[in-house]
Amino acid sequence: MPSGMGRTLRQIRHARGKSLAVVAGLAGISPSYLSRLESGERALDRRSLIVALANALEVAPSELTGEASRVPGELDEDRSLNDVRLALLSVSMNEPGGQVVPVEMLTARVADVLDAQRDCRYPVVGEALPSLIRDLHTTLDAGQDERAVLRLLTLTHVQGTQAWLMDVGASLDLGWQAATLAREAAERLEDDPISQAVSAFGTAFGLLGAGAFELAAKALASPEVGTATSEDQQVSGMLALTSSLVAAASGDQGGRTAALDQAAALADRTGEGNALWFGFGPSNVGVWRMSVALEMGENAEAARIATTVNPHALPSPTRRAAYWREYGRALAHLPRHQNDAVLMLRRAEQISPARIHRHPFMRSIIAELLARSRRDSVGRELRGMAYRAGLPV
C-alpha cells in the first residue's frame, strides 16, 4: 500500500490526468522507477528529483512533501506548535504582546533555547519559544539595546525557531516566516556580516525546501564574512557546506566539490567547534559530505564516507542524529544492506524521534524499507519505527 509522498505523488498524477510515461519523461526518469516511487518501493529522498517531479506535475515541491511531514499529536512538542505559530503571527502584525526584558536576561534565555535545540530537547524548545519570540520583539520595539537585540533575533529565528519548526515537521511556510524575520533583523545590521551570514543560512534552507536553488545560491553568496577569527572561519565554513548542498541539488558537480573543499580546509583550521551553535568542524564536514553525496544519488559513496566519520567526535546530539540518519538513508539504497539501514535509523530515532518521524525523506525511506521487510527481529524494529512515524503497518 503506498504511503506518504508516494501516495501523494500518485494522487496528484491521477488528478492531473497524466500517465506514468508522460510524468516520468518530463522528470527524466523511467516509468518503472516512477511506479516504484508511487508504490513506496523506492524512496523519494532527493530534492532535485522532488523538484523535477513537481515541475512535471505543475505543482509546488511542497505539495509532494507537505503531507508526509506531519503526524499531529504524536510527539510532546506538538502542543507548542500553535503557540509558536501565534507568536509569529503576532509579531508579523506588529503586536508581539511580550515584555521589555533586559538584554542580559534575553541573551541567557536565547542560549538556553539554542542549547536545548542542539541537544534535541524539542519539547523544551517549543515551550520556551513563544514567550522568547514575543519578548525579543517587544524589547526591540521599545528601542532598548537595539543592535544586541537584533543580533539575538537573527540567531534565535534561524537556529531556534526555524530549526525547531523544520525538525518537528511544521509547514514550509511557517519556517519561512521565521527565516524572513531573521533576514529583516539582519538587514538592519548593515555592518554585521556574521548576522547577515546566519540569516543567509536560514534563508537558503527555506529556499532549498521550496526548490528555489538559484535563489538559495544567491542568498549564500551575499555575506562577506572572511576568515579573520575562528568564529568567522566556522560561519564561512557553514555557508560553504550549505552552498555544496545547493550545488548538489542543482546538479552542479564542480560547485559542489569546490564548496566542500573550501569547508574542509576551514575545518582543518578551526578543529571541532560550535560557534553560534553551528557545530562546524571536521566531523560535521563529513556528515555534510554524506548528505551531499546522497543528494547526488551517490549512495555507496555516502556509505563509504560514513565509515570515515567518528560520530562520537560530533559536537552535539543533533549532529549525531544527523550522522546515523544519513548513514541509514545511504544503506537503505544499497542491495543487501536493509538490516544495517534499519539499525542506523533506529540509532537516530533514539536520539531524536522527530528527525525520523517528521522528515519527509526519512518517512519515504522507512516506507521503502517496510515494503521490502522480512518477518524477523529487524523487521519488527522497522515496523515499530514505521508505526511511531505514523505510517501504515
mmCIF file of all heavy atoms in Angstrom, residues 337-363:
data_model
loop_
_atom_site.group_PDB
_atom_site.id
_atom_site.type_symbol
_atom_site.label_atom_id
_atom_site.label_comp_id
_atom_site.label_asym_id
_atom_site.label_seq_id
_atom_site.Cartn_x
_atom_site.Cartn_y
_atom_site.Cartn_z
ATOM 1 N N HIS A 337 21.652 -4.447 2.321
ATOM 2 C CA HIS A 337 22.040 -3.668 3.498
ATOM 3 C C HIS A 337 20.822 -3.175 4.281
ATOM 4 O O HIS A 337 20.930 -2.256 5.093
ATOM 5 C CB HIS A 337 22.896 -2.459 3.090
ATOM 6 C CG HIS A 337 24.303 -2.825 2.761
ATOM 7 N ND1 HIS A 337 24.658 -3.375 1.544
ATOM 8 C CD2 HIS A 337 25.440 -2.736 3.496
ATOM 9 C CE1 HIS A 337 25.967 -3.574 1.537
ATOM 10 N NE2 HIS A 337 26.453 -3.211 2.709
ATOM 11 N N GLN A 338 19.660 -3.807 4.057
ATOM 12 C CA GLN A 338 18.435 -3.333 4.703
ATOM 13 C C GLN A 338 18.540 -3.426 6.225
ATOM 14 O O GLN A 338 18.165 -2.477 6.927
ATOM 15 C CB GLN A 338 17.238 -4.151 4.226
ATOM 16 C CG GLN A 338 15.948 -3.792 4.961
ATOM 17 C CD GLN A 338 14.758 -4.575 4.475
ATOM 18 O OE1 GLN A 338 14.622 -4.806 3.277
ATOM 19 N NE2 GLN A 338 13.907 -5.006 5.383
ATOM 20 N N ASN A 339 19.038 -4.553 6.736
ATOM 21 C CA ASN A 339 19.103 -4.703 8.189
ATOM 22 C C ASN A 339 19.985 -3.638 8.828
ATOM 23 O O ASN A 339 19.638 -3.048 9.856
ATOM 24 C CB ASN A 339 19.630 -6.091 8.542
ATOM 25 C CG ASN A 339 18.609 -7.181 8.242
ATOM 26 O OD1 ASN A 339 17.499 -6.887 7.816
ATOM 27 N ND2 ASN A 339 18.988 -8.424 8.448
ATOM 28 N N ASP A 340 21.144 -3.389 8.216
ATOM 29 C CA ASP A 340 22.036 -2.353 8.739
ATOM 30 C C ASP A 340 21.373 -0.978 8.668
ATOM 31 O O ASP A 340 21.545 -0.157 9.572
ATOM 32 C CB ASP A 340 23.356 -2.339 7.956
ATOM 33 C CG ASP A 340 24.201 -3.578 8.213
ATOM 34 O OD1 ASP A 340 24.043 -4.182 9.289
ATOM 35 O OD2 ASP A 340 25.003 -3.931 7.337
ATOM 36 N N ALA A 341 20.636 -0.725 7.585
ATOM 37 C CA ALA A 341 19.954 0.565 7.440
ATOM 38 C C ALA A 341 18.966 0.780 8.580
ATOM 39 O O ALA A 341 18.900 1.863 9.173
ATOM 40 C CB ALA A 341 19.237 0.634 6.093
ATOM 41 N N VAL A 342 18.192 -0.258 8.896
ATOM 42 C CA VAL A 342 17.208 -0.142 9.974
ATOM 43 C C VAL A 342 17.902 0.156 11.296
ATOM 44 O O VAL A 342 17.451 1.009 12.076
ATOM 45 C CB VAL A 342 16.375 -1.431 10.078
ATOM 46 C CG1 VAL A 342 15.465 -1.380 11.316
ATOM 47 C CG2 VAL A 342 15.531 -1.619 8.821
ATOM 48 N N LEU A 343 19.015 -0.511 11.561
ATOM 49 C CA LEU A 343 19.724 -0.294 12.814
ATOM 50 C C LEU A 343 20.271 1.129 12.901
ATOM 51 O O LEU A 343 20.242 1.748 13.973
ATOM 52 C CB LEU A 343 20.853 -1.313 12.954
ATOM 53 C CG LEU A 343 20.392 -2.780 13.085
ATOM 54 C CD1 LEU A 343 21.592 -3.715 13.129
ATOM 55 C CD2 LEU A 343 19.530 -2.971 14.323
ATOM 56 N N MET A 344 20.776 1.658 11.793
ATOM 57 C CA MET A 344 21.277 3.036 11.799
ATOM 58 C C MET A 344 20.136 4.028 12.048
ATOM 59 O O MET A 344 20.285 4.974 12.830
ATOM 60 C CB MET A 344 21.966 3.369 10.472
ATOM 61 C CG MET A 344 23.174 2.520 10.099
ATOM 62 S SD MET A 344 24.504 2.515 11.297
ATOM 63 C CE MET A 344 24.348 0.857 11.966
ATOM 64 N N LEU A 345 19.025 3.822 11.376
ATOM 65 C CA LEU A 345 17.883 4.718 11.557
ATOM 66 C C LEU A 345 17.341 4.629 12.980
ATOM 67 O O LEU A 345 16.899 5.638 13.549
ATOM 68 C CB LEU A 345 16.784 4.384 10.553
ATOM 69 C CG LEU A 345 17.127 4.616 9.074
ATOM 70 C CD1 LEU A 345 15.973 4.177 8.192
ATOM 71 C CD2 LEU A 345 17.475 6.069 8.815
ATOM 72 N N ARG A 346 17.388 3.427 13.545
ATOM 73 C CA ARG A 346 16.926 3.275 14.926
ATOM 74 C C ARG A 346 17.814 4.057 15.888
ATOM 75 O O ARG A 346 17.324 4.660 16.856
ATOM 76 C CB ARG A 346 16.932 1.785 15.286
ATOM 77 C CG ARG A 346 16.445 1.498 16.705
ATOM 78 C CD ARG A 346 14.970 1.769 16.855
ATOM 79 N NE ARG A 346 14.547 1.486 18.229
ATOM 80 C CZ ARG A 346 14.041 2.372 19.067
ATOM 81 N NH1 ARG A 346 13.868 3.621 18.679
ATOM 82 N NH2 ARG A 346 13.682 2.031 20.278
ATOM 83 N N ARG A 347 19.112 4.081 15.634
ATOM 84 C CA ARG A 347 20.015 4.876 16.482
ATOM 85 C C ARG A 347 19.664 6.354 16.391
ATOM 86 O O ARG A 347 19.659 7.068 17.398
ATOM 87 C CB ARG A 347 21.464 4.652 16.061
ATOM 88 C CG ARG A 347 22.003 3.287 16.413
ATOM 89 C CD ARG A 347 23.468 3.149 16.021
ATOM 90 N NE ARG A 347 23.968 1.812 16.308
ATOM 91 C CZ ARG A 347 25.214 1.415 16.075
ATOM 92 N NH1 ARG A 347 26.095 2.271 15.561
ATOM 93 N NH2 ARG A 347 25.597 0.182 16.365
ATOM 94 N N ALA A 348 19.375 6.818 15.174
ATOM 95 C CA ALA A 348 18.978 8.219 15.008
ATOM 96 C C ALA A 348 17.675 8.496 15.736
ATOM 97 O O ALA A 348 17.517 9.531 16.397
ATOM 98 C CB ALA A 348 18.848 8.552 13.529
ATOM 99 N N GLU A 349 16.728 7.574 15.635
ATOM 100 C CA GLU A 349 15.426 7.759 16.275
ATOM 101 C C GLU A 349 15.560 7.831 17.790
ATOM 102 O O GLU A 349 14.852 8.604 18.449
ATOM 103 C CB GLU A 349 14.491 6.616 15.891
ATOM 104 C CG GLU A 349 13.078 6.778 16.440
ATOM 105 C CD GLU A 349 12.257 5.520 16.321
ATOM 106 O OE1 GLU A 349 12.841 4.410 16.430
ATOM 107 O OE2 GLU A 349 11.028 5.629 16.156
ATOM 108 N N GLN A 350 16.466 7.040 18.356
ATOM 109 C CA GLN A 350 16.644 7.049 19.804
ATOM 110 C C GLN A 350 17.182 8.400 20.294
ATOM 111 O O GLN A 350 16.883 8.817 21.416
ATOM 112 C CB GLN A 350 17.588 5.923 20.211
ATOM 113 C CG GLN A 350 16.943 4.544 20.082
ATOM 114 C CD GLN A 350 17.929 3.417 20.287
ATOM 115 O OE1 GLN A 350 19.121 3.534 19.984
ATOM 116 N NE2 GLN A 350 17.445 2.297 20.809
ATOM 117 N N ILE A 351 17.963 9.078 19.451
ATOM 118 C CA ILE A 351 18.478 10.399 19.813
ATOM 119 C C ILE A 351 17.429 11.472 19.568
ATOM 120 O O ILE A 351 17.201 12.354 20.398
ATOM 121 C CB ILE A 351 19.754 10.725 18.999
ATOM 122 C CG1 ILE A 351 20.855 9.712 19.304
ATOM 123 C CG2 ILE A 351 20.241 12.140 19.306
ATOM 124 C CD1 ILE A 351 22.054 9.833 18.372
ATOM 125 N N SER A 352 16.780 11.398 18.422
ATOM 126 C CA SER A 352 15.839 12.442 18.014
ATOM 127 C C SER A 352 14.673 11.833 17.245
ATOM 128 O O SER A 352 14.727 11.721 16.016
ATOM 129 C CB SER A 352 16.549 13.490 17.142
ATOM 130 O OG SER A 352 15.627 14.437 16.643
ATOM 131 N N PRO A 353 13.608 11.395 17.938
ATOM 132 C CA PRO A 353 12.470 10.796 17.231
ATOM 133 C C PRO A 353 11.908 11.685 16.127
ATOM 134 O O PRO A 353 11.561 11.210 15.044
ATOM 135 C CB PRO A 353 11.445 10.575 18.353
ATOM 136 C CG PRO A 353 12.269 10.446 19.591
ATOM 137 C CD PRO A 353 13.426 11.389 19.396
ATOM 138 N N ALA A 354 11.826 12.987 16.385
ATOM 139 C CA ALA A 354 11.218 13.893 15.399
ATOM 140 C C ALA A 354 11.983 13.889 14.088
ATOM 141 O O ALA A 354 11.381 14.009 13.015
ATOM 142 C CB ALA A 354 11.153 15.310 15.957
ATOM 143 N N ARG A 355 13.312 13.771 14.143
ATOM 144 C CA ARG A 355 14.110 13.828 12.910
ATOM 145 C C ARG A 355 13.899 12.590 12.033
ATOM 146 O O ARG A 355 14.290 12.608 10.861
ATOM 147 C CB ARG A 355 15.592 13.988 13.245
ATOM 148 C CG ARG A 355 15.940 15.412 13.648
ATOM 149 C CD ARG A 355 17.408 15.596 13.897
ATOM 150 N NE ARG A 355 17.746 16.995 13.649
ATOM 151 C CZ ARG A 355 18.764 17.401 12.910
ATOM 152 N NH1 ARG A 355 19.547 16.530 12.335
ATOM 153 N NH2 ARG A 355 19.009 18.681 12.753
ATOM 154 N N ILE A 356 13.324 11.553 12.586
ATOM 155 C CA ILE A 356 12.965 10.374 11.808
ATOM 156 C C ILE A 356 11.477 10.386 11.477
ATOM 157 O O ILE A 356 11.067 10.200 10.330
ATOM 158 C CB ILE A 356 13.334 9.085 12.568
ATOM 159 C CG1 ILE A 356 14.849 9.003 12.761
ATOM 160 C CG2 ILE A 356 12.839 7.856 11.805
ATOM 161 C CD1 ILE A 356 15.660 8.943 11.484
ATOM 162 N N HIS A 357 10.654 10.634 12.466
ATOM 163 C CA HIS A 357 9.200 10.557 12.267
ATOM 164 C C HIS A 357 8.677 11.665 11.375
ATOM 165 O O HIS A 357 7.675 11.482 10.676
ATOM 166 C CB HIS A 357 8.474 10.651 13.610
ATOM 167 C CG HIS A 357 8.843 9.585 14.585
ATOM 168 N ND1 HIS A 357 8.428 9.602 15.897
ATOM 169 C CD2 HIS A 357 9.598 8.461 14.447
ATOM 170 C CE1 HIS A 357 8.900 8.543 16.524
ATOM 171 N NE2 HIS A 357 9.628 7.836 15.672
ATOM 172 N N ARG A 358 9.319 12.837 11.395
ATOM 173 C CA ARG A 358 8.727 14.012 10.771
ATOM 174 C C ARG A 358 9.381 14.434 9.465
ATOM 175 O O ARG A 358 8.818 15.244 8.743
ATOM 176 C CB ARG A 358 8.776 15.184 11.757
ATOM 177 C CG ARG A 358 7.964 14.918 13.023
ATOM 178 C CD ARG A 358 6.504 14.672 12.677
ATOM 179 N NE ARG A 358 5.713 14.302 13.825
ATOM 180 C CZ ARG A 358 5.248 15.139 14.734
ATOM 181 N NH1 ARG A 358 5.559 16.405 14.677
ATOM 182 N NH2 ARG A 358 4.498 14.703 15.708
ATOM 183 N N HIS A 359 10.557 13.942 9.171
ATOM 184 C CA HIS A 359 11.222 14.389 7.946
ATOM 185 C C HIS A 359 10.675 13.597 6.760
ATOM 186 O O HIS A 359 10.669 12.362 6.777
ATOM 187 C CB HIS A 359 12.734 14.185 8.054
ATOM 188 C CG HIS A 359 13.507 14.971 7.045
ATOM 189 N ND1 HIS A 359 13.497 14.664 5.692
ATOM 190 C CD2 HIS A 359 14.313 16.047 7.161
ATOM 191 C CE1 HIS A 359 14.260 15.518 5.043
ATOM 192 N NE2 HIS A 359 14.756 16.371 5.913
ATOM 193 N N PRO A 360 10.203 14.290 5.716
ATOM 194 C CA PRO A 360 9.594 13.561 4.588
ATOM 195 C C PRO A 360 10.545 12.575 3.926
ATOM 196 O O PRO A 360 10.115 11.503 3.489
ATOM 197 C CB PRO A 360 9.175 14.680 3.619
ATOM 198 C CG PRO A 360 9.939 15.887 4.050
ATOM 199 C CD PRO A 360 10.163 15.751 5.515
ATOM 200 N N PHE A 361 11.845 12.902 3.841
ATOM 201 C CA PHE A 361 12.801 11.969 3.255
ATOM 202 C C PHE A 361 12.843 10.666 4.061
ATOM 203 O O PHE A 361 12.850 9.568 3.514
ATOM 204 C CB PHE A 361 14.206 12.572 3.225
ATOM 205 C CG PHE A 361 14.409 13.659 2.217
ATOM 206 C CD1 PHE A 361 13.362 14.153 1.460
ATOM 207 C CD2 PHE A 361 15.668 14.207 2.033
ATOM 208 C CE1 PHE A 361 13.556 15.162 0.542
ATOM 209 C CE2 PHE A 361 15.884 15.212 1.106
ATOM 210 C CZ PHE A 361 14.822 15.700 0.357
ATOM 211 N N MET A 362 12.896 10.804 5.390
ATOM 212 C CA MET A 362 13.042 9.624 6.228
ATOM 213 C C MET A 362 11.772 8.786 6.231
ATOM 214 O O MET A 362 11.829 7.554 6.248
ATOM 215 C CB MET A 362 13.420 10.032 7.654
ATOM 216 C CG MET A 362 14.680 10.885 7.743
ATOM 217 S SD MET A 362 16.011 10.340 6.632
ATOM 218 C CE MET A 362 16.278 8.668 7.199
ATOM 219 N N ARG A 363 10.639 9.428 6.209
ATOM 220 C CA ARG A 363 9.381 8.676 6.118
ATOM 221 C C ARG A 363 9.310 7.908 4.809
ATOM 222 O O ARG A 363 8.811 6.779 4.759
ATOM 223 C CB ARG A 363 8.193 9.626 6.283
ATOM 224 C CG ARG A 363 8.043 10.153 7.708
ATOM 225 C CD ARG A 363 7.084 11.329 7.785
ATOM 226 N NE ARG A 363 5.759 10.998 7.292
ATOM 227 C CZ ARG A 363 4.838 10.366 7.984
ATOM 228 N NH1 ARG A 363 5.105 9.961 9.212
ATOM 229 N NH2 ARG A 363 3.652 10.125 7.474
#
